[in-house]
Amino acid sequence: MKHQRILAASAGAVGLLYALGAQAVELEAGDWTFSANGNINVHYIYSTCEDSPAAITTVGSACSADADGNDTNSSVSNGLLPAALVFGAGTEQDGYDLNVTFGFYPGISSNDGGSPNLQQDAGALGTNVALATTGLDVRQVFISIGTDNYGSFKLGRDFGLFGFDAIINDMTIPGVGVPGAMATGAPANTSLGSIGFGYIYTDTLGQMNYTTPSFGGATFTAGIFDPIDPLIGGQGGAANNSAPGFHGKLAWAGDLGGMGTYLSAAFISQEQISVGGVGNDYTSTGFDIYGRIEVANLKASAYYYSGSGMGTTGLFVLSDDGAGNERDSDGYLLQLTYPVGKTTFGVNYGVSNLDHANSADAAAVPNLLETNSKITGGIYHALTSNLTLLFEINDVETEAHNGASNSAQSANIGAFMSF
C-alpha cells in the first residue's frame, strides 16, 4: 500500500501528464521510493493568420500577419505541454506518507529571451536565432504529508485548483490546440490549447492546501496561495498584500445511472492592492464547474467559469480597467471524444468572454477583447501504450467590443511520447 500511495502522489504531481497514462520509473533505496516520469512531444504546426489584422487589446488570440504582411507561418515545436521530467521521492514514517516532487519543463523552441550563448538580451535579435537556447520552467516544487484517515497537506509550488479540471481534460493536452505564439516568428514555451478559449490557465502557484480523505468518492480541498499581481490593465508595480489568495475545490467521482461520472466545482479569491495611488483596491473572485460522463467509451464533458476581476487567458490578466474597477469574464468548453480501436476522435468548442468595467472603460479601450472562440478537431492514435501520433485542425476567431475581429486557421501533426 505504501508504494501505491507514493506512486499515486508522484503521478498526480506530474499534473497534466497523468491524464496521458504515463507510468513512473521506480527505484527503492532503504525506506524511500524514488520515481521519474515525463514526456517529450514535437509537432509541425502550420498557421494561416489574419492578413488584415485589426488592433485588439488582448493576450492570447487569433494570430495575425507580421509587419511585412506575411500571413502564414510554419514551426516545429512542442504543443500545449512542454517536455517534462518530474522526479518524486516518498516514504512512510510513523504512519505518515511523506512525498517530495520536483517538476522540470523544458520546451524545444528557442524562447529563453536571453540566451547565455548570445550573451545579451535576445530581444535585440529576436529569440528564434542561431545560438539561442530553449527555456526551462521549474513548475513544481512541493511536499505532501498525509494519512489514509486524516487526509493530506500539500506545501509548495504546484498547479492551482481553479481551472485545473478544464485543462487536465482538454483533449489537446498531447497536441497543440490554438497555436498562440507558436504561429509567430517568436515562439513561446507552449501553445495555448484552449487557454483563453474556454478557460483561464490554472497556473502554478506557491500554495498550502489540505485535502480531506475520500467520502464516498467525494473530496474537498482548500488552502491559500501566494498572491500574484494583475498583468496588463492592472495598476502597475509590485503590491504588498496583507492576505494570501484563497481557493477551494469539491470533487466527486463515481457511477451515476450506469455512467462513469466526475463532477467538480472550484472557487478562487484574491485581494488586489492599488500601487502608487492610481486606482482602487478590489477583490478578484471566480468559480467554475466541470462535469464528465462516459457511456460505452463515448466521453462528453462540459466546463463553465465566471469571475469578477479574474481577467482572461491567465489569472488576473486584463482583470480591471487600470483604476481598480473589475472587469467581468466568463466562458465555457464543450468536448466529445470517442475511441475506435487504438484511435480516438475528438472535437471541442470553447468560448471566453471579457466585459468592460464601465462606460469610461469602454470609451478608453473600445478595442478590448470581447470574445475569443475556437473549434478544434483531433485524431489521436496510440501507436504503442506510450507513443501517441496525432493530427489536429483549428479554426479561431477573436472579436473586440468595437466590432473588430481577426480569424485564423491552423493544422498540426506530431508525436507525444510519455514514460
Side-chain angles (χ1 to χ4, degrees), residues 148-164:
D148 288 338
N149 295 327
Y150 298 107
S152 62
F153 289 89
K154 179 189 291 183
L155 313 171
R157 184 182 184 91
D158 194 20
F159 294 96
L161 302 179
F162 176 80
F164 181 77

Side-chain angles (χ1 to χ4, degrees), residues 275-292:
V275 177
V278 298
N280 304 312
D281 297 347
Y282 66 97
T283 301
S284 296
T285 57
F287 76 92
D288 66 14
I289 54 176
Y290 174 82
R292 183 186 69 243

Side-chain angles (χ1 to χ4, degrees), residues 16-17 19-20 39-45 77-83 108 167-180 182 189-195 199 335 348 374 376-381 388-394 410-417:
L16 304 181
L17 289 177
L20 302 166
N39 89 88
I40 294 177
N41 69 95
V42 60
H43 312 274
Y44 170 64
I45 307 168
S77 188
N78 51 270
L80 175 54
L81 280 181
I108 67 173
I167 194 169
I168 194 67
N169 291 285
D170 189 339
M171 71 181 195
T172 67
I173 279 183
V176 175
V178 178
M182 300 302 189
N189 201 43
T190 66
S191 64
L192 290 174
S194 303
I195 296 171
Y199 52 81
Q335 179 172 288
N348 68 20
K374 67 98 172 182
T376 300
I379 302 173
Y380 309 88
H381 177 69
T388 298
L389 307 179
L390 59 99
F391 171 75
E392 294 173 338
I393 56 174
N394 299 274
S410 66
N412 56 274
I413 185 168
F416 185 102
M417 181 177 288

Side-chain angles (χ1 to χ4, degrees), residues 67-117:
D68 295 324
N70 301 309
D71 62 356
T72 59
N73 185 73
S74 288
S75 64
V76 177
S77 188
N78 51 270
L80 175 54
L81 280 181
L85 182 58
V86 180
F87 296 101
T91 188
E92 184 178 314
Q93 295 180 357
D94 300 328
Y96 294 96
D97 292 324
L98 310 178
N99 295 276
V100 298
T101 298
F102 295 87
F104 304 93
Y105 293 78
I108 67 173
S109 295
S110 299
N111 56 17
D112 58 358
S115 171
N117 287 341

Side-chain angles (χ1 to χ4, degrees), residues 215-289:
F215 297 101
T219 59
F220 178 69
T221 301
I224 59 175
F225 65 88
D226 185 33
I228 59 177
D229 294 321
L231 176 65
I232 304 176
Q235 296 127 32
N240 290 329
N241 293 75
S242 61
F246 299 92
H247 57 179
K249 178 179 176 181
L250 178 64
W252 177 81
D255 186 274
L256 188 63
M259 299 181 296
T261 305
Y262 176 81
L263 303 170
S264 72
F267 73 89
I268 187 170
S269 176
Q270 183 192 304
E271 184 181 7
Q272 309 289 4
I273 306 299
S274 171
V275 177
V278 298
N280 304 312
D281 297 347
Y282 66 97
T283 301
S284 296
T285 57
F287 76 92
D288 66 14
I289 54 176

Side-chain angles (χ1 to χ4, degrees), residues 288-305:
D288 66 14
I289 54 176
Y290 174 82
R292 183 186 69 243
I293 59 172
E294 183 173 357
V295 182
N297 294 326
L298 175 67
K299 289 184 180 179
S301 63
Y303 173 81
Y304 173 77
Y305 76 90

